[in-house]
Structures are given as structure tokens and as C-alpha cells.
Amino acid sequence: MAAISREEVAHLARLSRLAVTEEELDTFAGQLDVILQAVAQVGKVAAADIPPTSHSVPLTNVLREDVETPCLTPEEALSGAPDVDQQRFRVPRILNEDLAS
Amino acid sequence: MSDLTTKTAAEIAALVAGGETSAVEVTQAHLDRIAAVDDQVHAFLHVDTEGALAAARAVDERRAAGEPLGPLAGVPVAVKDVLATKGVPTTVGSKILEGWRPPYDATIVERLRAAGTVMLGKTNMDEFAMGSSTEYSAYGPTRNPWDLNRIPGGSGGGSSAALAAYEAPLAIGSDTGGSIRQPGAVTGTVGAKPTYGGTSRYGLVAFSSSLDTPGPCARTVLDAALLHEAIGGHDPRDSTSIPQPVPDVVAAAKLGATGDLTGVKLGIVTEFAGEGAEPGVLAVFREAVDALTKLGAEIVEVSCPHFTYALPAYYLIAPSECSSNLARFDGVRFGLRVGDDGSRSLEEVMSLTREAGFGPEVKRRIMLGTYALSSGYYDAYYGQAQKVRTLITRDFTAAFEQVDALISPTTPFVAFPIGARTSDPYQMYLADLFTIPTNLYGGPGISVPCGLSDGLPVGLQVMAPTMADDRMYRVAAALESAVGTFTPPAL
Amino acid sequence: MTTTLPSYDDVVARYEPVIGLETHVELGTRTKMFCGCPTDFGGEPNTRVCPVCLGLPGSLPVVNKAAVEATIRIGLALNCSIADWCRFARKNYFYPDMPKNFQISQYDEPLCVDGYLDVEVNGETVRIGIERVHMEEDTGKTLHVGGATGRIHGATESLVDYNRAGIPLVEIVTKPIPGTGELAPEVARAYVTELRDVIRSLGVSDVRMEEGSLRCDVNTSLNLPGQEWGTRTETKNVNSLRSVERAVRSEMLRQASVLDAGGRITQETRHFQEDTGDTRPGRSKETATDYRYFPEPDLVPIAPDPAWVAELKAALPELPRVHRRRLQEQWGLSDLDMQSVLNAGAVELIEQTVAAGATPAAARKWWLGELSRRANETGVELVDVGATPEQVAELQGLVDAGKLNDKLARTVLEGVVAGEGSPTEVMTSRNLEVVSDTGALTAAVDEAIAANPDIADKIRSGKVAAAGALVGAVMKTTRGQADAKTVRELILARLGA
């Protein structure tokens, strides 16, 4: 049985903001299925009582003093932006038309 | 090929410090070499000729003025394109960052400058460091100087290939699942992954934050140690940076070079000694083990039962973190934007941008990670992988109660032909089978050349406890003293 | 959408409301949550940004110690337990005001949990349970262009400024608050007011709702008596204390009308409309259902040292409730009088006026009388009426010194509020000082006696009460600038009475 359907892959693509093509959907569905079946092996390990590890470094309380450091200039900050207006980052309209009505 | 390009970093630094050559001469020699061979190798994405010569002149001027020089003053270094370099293009091997010139330097880049090194340019890599062959670079593959039809490993194939092709004596890599060590192994060079937190990630474009570790690449163990020492140590800008001094890796490399491993106990990971690796690789590995025994090391077998689950755990953890880390590449603040023709909404433009800007492997991992973090699947996938991570760490801890360091082949197979594994992503993932456990644990690992199989390099991996990076340098240097270094056929 | 709403009395007679509040407070630290950029309000766009708060590739966050400390102090003031170990998590969703397309927040491991805040409503104490207090980062600000009135609807493009991105936020979440019945809107308002005062007393934020440094989301549900709690809605964009109250009330009315019509309440985000006082559905975000939270791998856990927490606890200032009780005692006010001081928002003003030298009674008289009246007339908060506690104390000092009488003092206050200067300055420039020069007064008195011989005779014959008419005459000739008591004494002395 497949671990993941084509529809689920389409949903993941939407969540991930990837405008994948129909052809890609077919390819990715097959590949992700193979990968997921392989990585699902982690489920075979009996680990009910095992605490999870999210950091390999045993550090806590890494805190910074509340002291100002230099900012970028607006020119530097905006230097890589695809579109700038009024010293701000310009983006196309945020709402989709069907929602804006 | 100029004599200067075949020298080690230690030799170059001594020549510059002694006034026997100038930093400009050294730099020019390497720039000439790049101009001569990089058409074939394609190790570099960007060569910063002017910046390199300016940095070299500054070193020469400081020397002339009698000012103190850094320990690697005048030594050229190639930097993997995953590190932010102020004003110098930084692409991470991706179309989505084409043309981006960061307004800041990574900590490691700052430290390289402080050490007096000369940055030659930025090296090729699998897009966002996801891959084991550098074939996933959006800017075309890098070729292995040992055989131009074969891959140089990945993701940092550019850095390792630059070393093997004598385009640079030192290079910076980054290792999330083996991206320093595996390219080192298949190009016959040295690649060290420091303890996680031992080198700063500030300015390293993140793939998987809890695993990414920048580190040194070189042609000799001593050179790697010198570079490690120059870039390592605590950085307050990286919260996961360990506030301790760098272990004395240079002294350890020098000690190892004496060829004496008496009293050192090494463990062969049972799970990695039998299956999974090519017969040729295993044969060379066994000869290397014999060599280590002759140097006085005691060799035992150590079982690390959960290492079998390292690869699946890694391919849940790394994609999960990557799916979040790569969300910022949306065409708003930097990089590519596609489809903004006035008719489309932001979400459509973002989706078209990411679709066009990311290659297939990156998309696969983003979707895989998005899946693994989804509320219905979190416990079974990401959560379970984190628990496996704990078990792998326990395996390491138990092993290091028995032995000083663990050894294995670095990678299961020698450099494979370009194109051989791209159609089946999971086959590509197997290249990191032996290197991944170390990343999950957070300890250091080094790959050192140990022989040739059918004329292609094989690497031996030494794994040590966290913050015992010096131990692996000692073992690696000892092995190097026994088996020598390996030079590819002339290009 | 428009339906006839039931009456509020009818709604609370038939339904029981459950409310809950999520409040965001911008901390007043010097620098941002995870980088050293300054947090000052305003500023040219994109001038207070760095690689970290812009989310540039490769940048990494480092936690601001002062923000952690402020959060712990808020937690302690709200009677919370401080976690001995907690973590940050990433909340993943795409939105252009969020530079990384994830927000660093806290999820299942907040810094402070399980506290309460007592608030007073109609003289009764209501204990509001606090679920959690956690740290997160603010977003940038988006300017919508091309649509009407700068709103996102109909905009053709948007412009983003990241100055605000990364400013430390503390989110304070109440437990569900059942059982308040018809008082639910007042309880909500009283809670936000008390929370604001607590946080202000800690000095960790300026908690100004109009500037957005205190923002409130209101959860509301209705259920029939004896039945399970209903589906709740979350109302955002509630930007004043008054709006908190109105938002709860209007959402109760709306939900009741939906339920009455046999409908079901949808769990959704709604937006409060300041102009109409009702709520409207927000945008449905498909991603809102799954933020894919996971532990922030770029940060390590926070494990506050118990000694540090104890130190912070010991150093907490007197909290507003305790403080108020002490003041009430000092000022000798009844509960009812204190309540009117509270309702007028005059506690601190009176306190500062007393500190500047006035008696509590005088200070209360000015702030609850003349100044409250003016504030009501002009529709401003008392604190913004235009007079400072120092000025009020100075004014009272002039009265006490006999330089102003009550009527003159009110005129002087008018001048002060109009920005003409300090009470003394206004008195001098408008020439309002009480005439105390006895020579001039005596002349005026003699003049009045001469002009009113009949009245003078009555006084001489012992009818002292008749003196009032002569006092009035003197006051008239001195344009009210004489002290009535002095005038009266002079008249009686002159007439030998």
C-alpha cells in the first residue's frame, strides 16, 4: 500500500508554497512514497519511554545582554529585494481575488 | 602546475612568514591554476580574483610593516557557497539565491580573514547542501579530479574537488549528514566535521539547524587541524555554540604524525563492517585497520545497534528542519521572484518563485519535512526520529566507555559515475549511511584517505566523543603517516 | 447577514457565556527579542533591522535576557509557576510580515503557567485563571496600497517595514472564564484594565493599546444552562478597553441570534469593527489549522535558576490591587468613593498630586470634579486632559495661601488646560490674584457702605446676616478677586458689629 497519495502530495506542495506541475506531482508521489516507506522504519524501534533529543549540545540559558548593536542601513537591508517602494519591501496583493470579494 | 599549488597550507604559511614568497605570489599561483583547470572540474561557482589579490596584498603589507601575522597568513582558502560573504555572491548552489550578495559576513569568514587567509572564491555544492554528489547544484555538477566522469561527493563536492585539483590548499565545508567527510573520502582528501557547536553556524545558510556543522577540508590532517583551530571556538551570535576552547587539534595532529598509537583503543562499528559497503571499499578499510594495528592501536568490535536506524531518522529530522528553514526563500526580501506580473496574488507569486527557484531534491525534502511535522504524523515521524536520536546518542556514549574512538569506512562506495544515482533519491541517500550517526549524536568525525580501490580513493572515518576532536586528529594523522597521501592523475 | 439581534437582557437570561482573553504585550526592552536592533516606536521604515530580524539566510537568533526577565516578572505578578525548563518552538506559516515565514514562539513548554489575577467588578472580586505566559517575537508592519482606506481588502499591493519585526512580545492567555453571566463584558474589560495596570507597575511595557503595545484577542462562546460549552470564536483587532467590553457584548448577541435561528457557531477568527461595534469574519487561512510546531533548533532551552526567580519575586513592586487598598486607607475613602476614583481612572493622578503636596481630599476634588467634567466634555481620558498632577497641586497651594478663591482657581485651571502655563503664570498673566491689599479693600468696603446706608444700618443694629449683600457689592467692584471672608470681616469691623 502506498504511504502517501498524489492528493496528499498536492496538499503538501500547497502548504510548502510550491507550484508543482502535474507531471512533478506524479514523480514526487512515487519518490516520496519510496522514501516514506524507508524512513517509516523508525517506527520499528521500541522507544515509548525514550526522551526525544532535539539538541545535541547540553546547553541552557544562552542569553544576550539587552545592548544595542549596529543595524544595517536601509540600503543594505533592501539591497537584495526583488522589488522596493517607499523604502519598504513591495509584495503583490496579499489576498486572492475570490477571498477579497 | 606551480610548485606553490602543491604545497600544504602549513608549508605556505611558513614560506610567507619567512618572506620566501609573498601572499600575492601564492594567491596568483592558485588563481592561475583555477583558470587552467576549473573549466574541467567546475569546483568554483565564483572566483573573487580582485578580493583575493587585495587580501593577499594586505597580508604582504602587514608583513612588510612588521605587524603580527595570523597563523595561516597568506594561505588561500576556498569557501563552500553555503557561507554568507559580504558583497560576494552567495547562492547555496540554488537558483533562488542567484545574484544575492549578503550584507554581512559569516563568523567563519570573519575568522578566516583574521587568520590572514586569502579567500579565493565560493565552491560548488548540492543545492542547499542536500545531496551526496554535487549533481543537485543548480549550476551544474562538479567533477572528480580522479575521474572527470565521476562525482566528487557532496554536498561539498566543490571544496573537496578544489583541493584534489590543487586549486586551493584549504577549503571550508559544511557537514549535515556527511557533506564534508564523504566528498573528502571520494576525492582522496581530508575532511573533518567538528563537534556540533564547536564551529559557529552564524552566516551558514541553514539546511538542518540541529545537524549543520561547518568544518575544515584540506589535503593533509595537519592542515585540516590548522584550519579547524582558526575557525573554531565559541561565537556569542550562535546560541548553540559551545563556550569552551577548541580542543588542541593541531598538537593532536602532530602527535599522531609520529606514528605511534600505543595505548589507543579503537572500535570498529560491527553494524558498518559487514553489509552495505562495496567489497573494494571493505578490502581497503581492512588494510587500513591492519595499518592502525601496526601503529600500536588496539582494535575491537563495538556494536551500535541503533545505527541501523540513523539513516531513516536523519531523513525525517533533516527534511523537517529544512522545510521550516527554507520557508524564508519567498521572493520578498532577497533572491528570485517569478510571476509578479500584476495579475497574481502574493501566494501565487511565492509558489511560482519557489517552484522555479528550488530543484527537485530540495522540493522533495521540503514536502517530506512538511509531512513529517504535520499534526497527525508528528509523533510517528518527527517525534519518533528524535527518540531514535536519543538511542543513537546512547550507543555512542556506551561505545566510548569501551574505546577511545570508533572507525568505519567513510562511505559505502567509491566515487560513482555522474548520473548513476539521480533517478532514485534513496540510493543517493545511502552514500551517507556511515556518516549520519555522528551528526545525530553531535560528535566529531573525520575522513582520511586510506587507500585506492580500482584507482579511486577510499576514506576511513574516525569518530570521537563530543569535544574530543583532538582524538580523531591523532588517529587520522597516524594513519596518514602510515599510508601516505594520494595524488590524482594530472588533469 | 443582518438579522434582528435579541436584546442583551434576553440573551443573558437564556444563555451562559464563557469568555477567554489572549493578550499580547510588547516589552519595553532596549533591543529586540533575538537581536540587538533597538525597539523604539516609529522611525523611518527598515532602519531598525539587521540580518537576524530580517531573516536573512544564515542569520541566527540569540535570546534577550531582559525579555526573559520581564516575562518571569509578569508571570510572578500573575501568580504563575515559573517553569524550571522551557523551550522556544517554531510556528510555521507563510505571511509577508514574518521575515522567516515562521514565528519563534513557545508552544507546549511556556515559561510561566497556571496563575491567576483578581479583578474587581461592581465591588466583587472575580478570580481570572491564567493558563500561560509565554515569549514570542512581533511581526513587521504592512502598508496596503491601492485599496480603499489602506485595508488589505481590495489592495493591489502591499509594502512591508520590518522595524517592528522581532520586538519581544509576551502573550498572556487566560483559562476559560465561565459563570460571569451578564457581567461577562465588564469582567473582560476589568481583566484587561487590571492586567494593564499590573504590567505598567512592573515597568516592563508602556502598555498603550492605541499604539499597539497591548493587543487583545477575545474568545467568546455561549451555551444553554447545564450544557457543554459552546463553540468559541476569536475576535481580533480589539484596540481599546471600551472595545473589549463591546466586542464581548456584540459577539454574545450575534451568537445568540445564530443559535436562536437554529444555526451553529463556526470556530473562526473574527475582527472587531470600531465604527459599528460588531464583529466580522476574518480571512480563512488554510494553514491556520496546522502550524507544524517543533522545538526551535537554533535556540537552547531556558532553565531559570530558582535563585534568580526568587530574587525577581522579592523585588516585585507593590501590585496595583494592594497599592490601591493602601491608598484607599490613607485617603480615608469609602469603597464607593474609591470605586468612583477607579472608574474615573484617577488613582495615579491623585496619588501624584498628593505626592506634589496637595491633600488627598483636594486632589480628589479637582480630578473628579472640574477635570473629569472637562475630560468628559472633550472626550479624552483624564490623564490626557491637559493638566498635570504637579499643576493641580500648585493650584491648590495658591488657594490654600489665599491667593485664589475657588472661583478664580477654576478660571486659572481653564488657562492651564488651555496651555497658557503653570497656575502661577496664568494667575499673573490674567491678573486673577485675590485682592488682599487692605487699603484698596477698605476703600471698596467704605464705598459699598456709603452706597447702601439701609443695609449698613441693619448690620449696625445687629443683623449680621445682612452683611452678605455688602460682600456681594464689594466682590463685584473687585471683579471677584477679593477673598470673601476677609471682606466680610472688614465690613463687620467697619460697622462695629
Side-chain angles (χ1 to χ4, degrees), chain C residues 239-282:
Chain C
N239 296 328
S240 71
L241 293 172
R242 183 159 164 267
S243 300
V244 171
E245 192 172 339
R246 291 168 80 206
V248 173
R249 179 182 290 259
S250 76
E251 192 52 19
M252 283 168 68
L253 292 173
R254 187 193 68 84
Q255 291 188 12
S257 77
V258 172
L259 294 169
D260 286 349
R264 299 175 75 166
I265 304 300
T266 322
Q267 182 161 356
E268 63 179 347
T269 299
R270 302 182 65 85
H271 287 265
F272 183 69
Q273 309 295 314
E274 199 70 52
D275 45 358
T276 58
D278 59 9
T279 69
R280 290 194 201 144

Side-chain angles (χ1 to χ4, degrees), chain A residues 8 14 16-17 19-20 24 28 31 38 42 45 47 50-53 56 62 80-82 89-90 93 96, chain B residues 331 333-335 337 340 343 345-347 351 354-355 363-364 367 370 377 384 386-387 390-391 394 426 441:
Chain A
E8 279 178 289
R14 173 106 202 274
S16 312
R17 298 289 186 273
V20 295
E24 274 181 303
F28 286 145
Q31 291 172 336
V42 293
V45 182
I50 304 298
T53 296
S56 60
V62 176
F89 297 88
R90 196 202 75 89
R93 68 190 152 78
N96 279 320
Chain B
R333 290 157 301 278
F334 44 80
R337 179 183 291 184
D340 185 11
S343 76
S345 72
L346 176 63
E347 180 178 335
S351 302
R354 290 163 62 82
E355 167 67 12
K363 290 181 205 171
R364 271 192 291 273
M367 287 192 283
T370 302
Y377 302 103
Q384 179 74 4
Q386 298 278 39
K387 291 177 171 189
T390 305
L391 292 168
R394 289 181 183 176
Y426 203 76
Y441 158 60

Side-chain angles (χ1 to χ4, degrees), chain C residues 357-369:
Chain C
T359 63
R364 191 163 67 93
K365 182 191 81 177
W366 287 115
W367 286 109
L368 292 197

